[in-house]
């Protein structure tokens, strides 16, 4: 803000200089014949005053000459070519006005509008970048969450499978053991059955053998056969029974 | 030589104009020597710097232009002085 | 009246243009017309870029590039971020000088405004006042002259040599070289182009073949003068920034 004030002060100062200088220049008296003569002398050198329009030539040359005289110059100055180094008063005045007007308009109107546009764009880009950054971190978090969940699920499923395998193992062992005991039990029972059957059959046989012996004796007695025949008979019977 | 002097005596204005022109040429020619060498040194060293450190090329370029501007001013003083010299 | 550069003006009007209308100090000649035109062009350029659209287009792009250039390549490199307050002033300097310079190579205008001393002189005076003013304001009168005349880091006995040189530099050489550099560059370029143009035209009128070499040189010089126009605007602006920056912060 202070710089702006300083600039305005400088500009006003220079402007005042120009305005004050203007009336001095404005008091140009109409051209006189003597000046016209001096103006005419210098055109031959080529670097001299104004040589374009035949009508305007003496007038403008004269004016410039009078300007010079009013500024304390010598009459010789009119004859010399105006130095290309020194600033011409009219160009200086118009140029300074142009610059000041341009500066005021640029700094008041054009630059703030442009700066505002650029600043809002910069702000917009900055917020966009920030938003993108936050969105990225969010996505990163979500991804990590998912990955963690996935890992959890994977380990969970592995655990379940392991558990199932162990259960199946245990079940198989149980079943095997159960089957073995059952088989043993059955086998024992069958053997006991066989034993019992054998016992019963032996007892049965012994009973029957007695009966048969008696029967046989009766038959032997009835037939009264000779001794040899009796013996034969008994033997064959006993053999018969023994084979059974 | 005598003939030249005689001519000059006949027309002093022309001698003056001619000497002025010669003076202008000498002034500008002399003023251009030093800055010519100087600008060569400035630009050469700037190019060396840019080649050594391409990442600092922008800085070197700005400084190079400033150096050229300062050096060139001397030649331009001579140029303006040549205009100022008048018979 | 040779207002438009459609034919060669008489040699006395190569740089000094006759009055078109008006009189005395308000007289308007070709150079004054060009000054008006420069103001109108710069304003029109920034006016067409005024929209401030979020996605810049056309002129807005260019205008923002210019502003960015002034800010990044001129101010930030020489004054630091606190020099950004000077952006409007330096932007005005840069664009105005550039447009005034580029008139040198615009067909039918063909006259750089800065080949006349008026504008360089005026702008240099502004810069001269500003950097002294800023130096006095930022450092105070004692410190400003102390830093100017006795820059720190110089051996004591050298001050005999350094102090007068610094004094001359600050009060005389700086403004003189600033104005003369711009003015003389443009004047020399203008004279060079005019010389080669006349040479080419004369040779082309007599021998067609003889005009080839100066014609080719003329084209090359045209390109060179475009470069000079940009460069001189840049150098004037950056030197202004350097001077103001140097007044804000004394030499290290």
């Amino acid at each position: 803000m202070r710089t702006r004030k300083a600039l305005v002060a400088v500009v006003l100062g220079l402007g005042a200089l120009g305005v004050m200088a203007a009336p001095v220049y404005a008091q140009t008296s109409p051209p006189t014949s003597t000046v016209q003569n001096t103006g005419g002398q210098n055109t031959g050198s080529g670097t001299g005053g104004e040589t374009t329009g035949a009508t305007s030539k003496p007038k403008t040359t004269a004016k410039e000459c009078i300007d010079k005289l009013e500024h304390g110059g010598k009459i010789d100055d009119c004859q010399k070519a105006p130095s290309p180094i020194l600033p011409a008063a009219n160009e200086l005045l118009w140029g300074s006005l142009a610059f000041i007007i341009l500066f005021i308009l640029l700094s008041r109107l054009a630059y703030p509008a442009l700066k505002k546009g650029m600043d809002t764009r910069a702000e917009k880009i900055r917020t966009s970048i920030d938003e993108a950054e936050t969105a990225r971190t969010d996505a990163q978090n979500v991804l990590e969450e998912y990955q963690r969940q996935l890992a959890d699920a994977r380990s969970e499923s592995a655990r379940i499978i392991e558990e199932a395998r162990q259960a199946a193992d245990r079940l198989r062992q149980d079943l095997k053991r159960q089957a073995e005991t059952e088989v043993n039990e059955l086998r024992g029972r069958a053997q006991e059955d066989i034993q019992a059957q054998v016992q019963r059959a032996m007892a049965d046989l012994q009973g029957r053998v007695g009966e048969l012996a008696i029967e046989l004796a009766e038959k032997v007695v009835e037939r009264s056969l000779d001794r040899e025949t009796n013996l034969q008979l008994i033997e064959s019977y006993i053999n018969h029974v023994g084979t059974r | 030589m005598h003939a030249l002097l005689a001519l000059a005596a006949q027309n002093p204005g022309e001698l003056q104009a001619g000497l002025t022109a010669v003076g202008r040429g000498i002034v500008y020619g002399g003023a251009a020597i030093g800055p010519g060498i100087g600008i060569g040194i400035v630009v050469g060293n700037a190019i060396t710097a840019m080649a050594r450190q391409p990442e600092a090329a922008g800085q070197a370029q700005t400084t190079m232009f400033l150096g050229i501007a300062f050096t060139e001013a001397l030649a331009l003083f001579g140029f303006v002085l040549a205009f100022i010299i008048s018979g | 009246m040779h207002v438009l550069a459609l034919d060669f003006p008489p040699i006395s009007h190569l740089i000094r243009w006759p009055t078109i209308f008006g009189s005395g100090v308000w007289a308007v000649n070709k150079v004054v017309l060009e000054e008006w035109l420069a103001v109108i062009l710069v304003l029109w350029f920034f006016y067409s870029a005024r929209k401030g659209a979020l996605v810049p287009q056309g002129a807005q792009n260019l205008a923002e590039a210019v502003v960015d250039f002034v800010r990044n390549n001129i101010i930030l490199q020489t004054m630091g971020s606190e020099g950004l307050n000077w952006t409007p002033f330096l932007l005005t300097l840069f664009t105005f000088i550039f447009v005034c310079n580029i008139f040198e190579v615009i067909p039918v205008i063909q006259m750089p405004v800065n080949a006349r001393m008026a504008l360089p002189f005026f702008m240099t005076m502004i810069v001269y006042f500003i950097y002294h003013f800023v130096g006095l304001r930022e450092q105070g009168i004692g410190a400003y002259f102390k830093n100017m005349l006795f820059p720190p880091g110089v051996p004591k006995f050298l001050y005999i040599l350094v102090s007068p040189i610094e004094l001359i530099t600050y009060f005389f050489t700086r403004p003189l070289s600033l104005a003369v550099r711009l003015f003389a560059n443009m004047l020399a370029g203008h004279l060079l182009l005019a010389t080669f143009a006349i040479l080419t035209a004369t040779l082309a009128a007599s021998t067609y073949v003889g005009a080839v070499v100066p014609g080719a040189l003329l084209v090359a010089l045209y390109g060179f003068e475009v470069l000079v126009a940009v460069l001189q605007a840049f150098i004037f602006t950056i030197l202004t920034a350097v001077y103001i920056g140097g007044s804000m912060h004394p030499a290290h």
Side-chain angles (χ1 to χ4, degrees):
Chain A
M1 221 42 219
R2 293 180 68 187
T3 42
R4 198 170 286 172
K5 271 182 195 159
L7 278 179
V8 169
V10 168
V11 158
L12 282 181
L14 288 174
L17 216 65
V19 170
M20 280 191 293
V24 178
Y25 282 96
Q27 292 166 357
T28 354
S29 51
T32 56
S33 58
T34 50
V35 178
Q36 268 177 3
N37 283 340
T38 55
Q41 282 172 8
N42 67 5
T43 48
S45 68
T47 49
E50 318 301 331
T51 48
T52 22
T55 49
S56 69
K57 175 191 70 179
K59 220 170 105 190
T60 50
T61 322
K63 260 182 202 157
E64 278 163 14
C65 185
I66 287 164
D67 283 350
K68 284 196 186 101
L69 288 176
E70 279 175 350
H71 275 256
K74 281 177 275 179
I75 194 77
D76 290 350
D77 292 342
C78 294
Q79 295 182 326
K80 278 184 184 162
S83 167
I85 308 298
L86 295 176
N90 58 334
E91 288 167 13
L92 181 61
L93 182 71
W94 282 116
S96 49
L97 277 181
F99 184 84
I100 290 164
I101 290 169
L102 184 66
F103 171 65
I104 290 172
L105 287 179
L106 264 190
S107 61
R108 289 279 141 177
L109 301 175
Y111 180 67
L114 249 146
K115 190 173 183 298
K116 210 178 116 218
M118 288 169 82
D119 283 352
T120 50
R121 177 161 344 104
E123 191 56 36
K124 166 91 179 151
I125 290 171
R126 194 173 296 125
T127 51
S128 300
I129 289 174
D130 284 354
E131 277 168 12
E133 186 62 29
T134 49
R136 203 183 64 81
T137 37
D138 282 359
Q140 190 72 31
N141 289 341
V142 170
L143 182 67
E144 277 169 9
E145 177 73 24
Y146 280 160
Q147 278 174 343
R148 212 179 55 239
Q149 282 181 1
L150 198 63
D152 280 1
R154 206 167 276 152
S155 65
E156 178 76 13
S157 69
R159 195 178 56 80
I160 289 171
I161 288 172
E162 187 58 31
E163 272 181 10
R165 188 176 297 136
Q166 282 176 357
D169 263 6
R170 220 177 301 125
L171 197 60
R172 204 175 57 209
Q173 298 282 348
D174 283 359
L175 283 174
K176 208 172 159 189
R177 214 173 301 125
Q178 208 177 335
E180 274 173 4
T181 51
E182 250 172 49
V183 165
N184 285 340
E185 213 172 293
L186 280 175
R187 191 184 292 147
R189 207 178 299 148
Q191 274 180 347
E192 277 169 19
D193 271 3
I194 292 167
Q195 288 291 335
Q197 295 272 343
V198 168
Q199 300 261 331
R200 210 180 314 136
M202 291 298 271
D204 215 18
L205 189 63
Q206 282 173 350
R208 289 283 297 266
V209 166
E211 279 174 31
L212 282 173
I214 294 162
E215 239 177 272
L216 191 61
E218 281 172 0
K219 277 180 187 173
V220 168
V221 173
E222 280 174 10
R223 287 181 55 182
S224 60
L225 292 169
D226 61 313
R227 199 177 135 77
E228 233 171 306
T229 315
N230 275 349
L231 277 176
Q232 222 176 347
L233 199 64
I234 289 167
E235 200 166 346
S236 74
Y237 186 74
I238 287 173
N239 280 347
H240 173 70
V241 171
T243 58
R244 279 169 64 178
Chain B
M1 201 64 194
H2 278 289
L4 269 180
L5 281 178
L7 264 177
Q10 271 177 10
N11 205 337
E14 273 183 23
L15 178 68
Q16 201 183 20
L19 284 178
T20 306
V22 171
R24 287 178 172 180
I26 290 174
V27 161
Y28 180 63
I33 296 172
I37 299 169
I39 290 177
I41 293 173
V42 167
V43 175
N45 283 339
I47 288 173
T48 314
M50 281 187 238
R52 280 208 186 133
Q53 284 182 297
E55 68 275 4
Q59 186 80 40
Q61 207 169 21
T62 310
T63 318
M64 179 185 85
F65 282 134
L66 280 182
I68 291 177
F70 285 128
T71 320
E72 184 195 42
L74 298 175
L76 296 173
F77 285 153
F79 178 76
V80 171
L81 210 60
F83 273 96
I84 289 175
I85 295 173
S86 55
Chain C
M1 286 290 166
H2 294 274
V3 175
L4 296 180
L6 297 174
D7 49 0
F8 290 115
I11 192 140
S12 60
H13 290 173
L14 260 184
I15 46 172
R16 202 181 151 73
W17 295 88
T19 304
I20 298 171
F21 58 85
S23 63
V25 76
W26 295 104
V28 172
N29 59 11
K30 178 170 173 172
V31 176
V32 174
L33 285 182
E34 283 179 37
E35 285 164 354
W36 294 355
L37 186 61
V39 172
I40 292 167
L41 279 180
V42 174
L43 281 180
W44 172 71
F45 172 60
F46 281 107
Y47 180 78
S48 62
R50 81 205 173 280
K51 285 190 295 286
L54 211 53
V55 179
Q57 255 183 334
Q60 196 192 346
N61 242 334
L62 195 59
E64 289 183 358
V66 171
V67 174
D68 249 4
F69 175 75
V70 171
R71 280 212 281 205
N72 293 340
N73 290 21
I74 293 178
I75 294 178
L76 288 183
Q77 290 215 0
T78 54
M79 301 165 85
S81 55
E82 56 214 278
L84 284 177
N85 287 342
W86 293 96
T87 313
F89 178 63
L90 294 175
L91 186 69
T92 313
L93 271 184
F94 181 72
T95 47
F96 192 51
I97 295 176
F98 171 71
V99 173
C100 285
N101 283 352
I102 206 71
F103 282 149
E104 180 183 8
V105 291
I106 304 285
V108 310
I109 299 181
Q110 304 280 31
M111 170 71 198
V113 179
N114 289 323
R116 303 289 294 147
M117 195 53 172
L119 214 49
F121 171 75
F122 173 72
M123 290 184 296
T124 301
M125 284 330 277
I126 286 189
V127 172
Y128 182 68
F129 282 127
I130 281 179
Y131 79 76
H132 280 306
F133 182 82
V134 168
L136 291 176
R137 197 192 62 191
E138 297 282 323
Q139 303 179 33
I141 186 158
Y144 181 54
F145 277 97
K146 187 179 161 295
N147 283 322
M148 179 200 297
L149 296 179
F150 306 105
V154 178
K156 287 271 186 293
F157 62 92
L158 273 184
Y159 281 139
I160 306 169
L161 212 61
V162 169
S163 300
I165 291 177
E166 287 290 310
L167 192 69
I168 294 170
T169 301
Y170 267 76
F171 283 98
F172 188 68
T173 316
R174 272 187 180 185
L176 185 70
S177 68
L178 195 61
V180 164
R181 180 180 301 115
L182 178 59
F183 159 71
N185 258 302
M186 298 328 287
L187 178 60
H190 180 60
L191 291 183
L192 206 60
L193 287 187
T195 309
F196 270 88
I198 292 174
L199 183 63
T200 311
T202 315
L203 284 178
S206 53
T207 64
Y208 291 107
V209 188
V212 170
V213 175
L217 263 172
L218 180 63
V219 173
L221 282 173
Y222 238 81
F224 178 69
E225 286 307 320
V226 174
L227 178 73
V228 167
V230 181
L231 208 57
Q232 288 310 315
F234 171 64
I235 284 174
F236 194 98
T237 318
I238 199 169
L239 281 178
T240 304
V242 167
Y243 293 160
I244 297 175
S247 292
M248 280 158 73
H249 305 287
H252 314 294

